[in-house]
Amino acid sequence: MYNKELTKGTLQPIILKLLSDSDKMYGYEITQKVKELTKGKIDISEGALYPILHKMEAENILETEKVYIGKRVRKYYKVTGQGKKAAQKVTEELQDFIETLSIIFKQKELAYATDGR
């Protein structure tokens, strides 16, 4: 599992990407999907998830739908039209960031390869 500080800045883009790729999801489902896709390397706690979901809902990036299951209420999250644009933007930004990090870390690998270390 990755360090929480390392994944902290990527949680919103991860959540937004998952929700953009599906019709709707509820909180626990999001955490389990991330865990499944990353083979347990990224584990989103409820304490980290719900503040992000609520923030995105307040920013009109997400909308919610309540579904009653017996006596329980399940709150589903869905990306809005504005959220789809935000998802595209954050995906592009994150991909560019990953490429930039790759340049930094490959420089070191290249230096080792040419120095013979």
Side-chain angles (χ1 to χ4, degrees):
M1 188 162 52
Y2 293 120
N3 178 306
K4 298 280 186 210
E5 286 301 311
L6 188 60
T7 60
K8 191 168 145 182
T10 61
L11 292 183
Q12 183 170 335
I14 289 169
I15 294 164
L16 197 49
K17 174 67 174 151
L18 282 179
L19 290 171
S20 293
D21 290 349
S22 67
D23 181 38
K24 61 185 177 184
M25 297 176 84
Y26 58 96
Y28 181 74
E29 183 180 15
I30 294 168
T31 63
Q32 295 309 297
K33 188 68 173 177
V34 170
K35 194 181 288 187
E36 173 193 328
L37 289 172
T38 65
K39 295 180 176 45
K41 290 182 178 181
I42 298 176
D43 184 17
I44 303 176
S45 69
E46 289 183 16
L49 175 69
Y50 287 102
I52 294 169
L53 290 173
H54 296 152
K55 179 179 182 268
M56 288 193 288
E57 185 180 4
E59 294 171 347
N60 198 33
I61 292 172
L62 301 179
E63 60 189 15
T64 59
E65 175 188 345
K66 291 181 181 178
V67 175
Y68 293 88
I69 301 167
K71 295 181 180 182
R72 300 189 65 199
V73 177
R74 183 173 284 168
K75 192 174 184 180
Y76 283 90
Y77 295 88
K78 183 177 181 174
V79 178
T80 63
Q82 181 179 329
K84 289 185 190 294
K85 292 175 188 171
Q88 180 64 36
K89 182 181 176 193
V90 76
T91 298
E92 290 170 4
E93 184 178 15
L94 190 55
Q95 286 173 337
D96 185 59
F97 182 68
I98 291 167
E99 287 172 18
T100 302
L101 285 177
S102 179
I103 291 167
I104 292 169
F105 288 99
K106 284 184 179 177
Q107 285 290 351
K108 192 160 187 115
E109 289 173 14
L110 289 174
Y112 287 137
T114 58
D115 286 350
R117 293 183 198 178

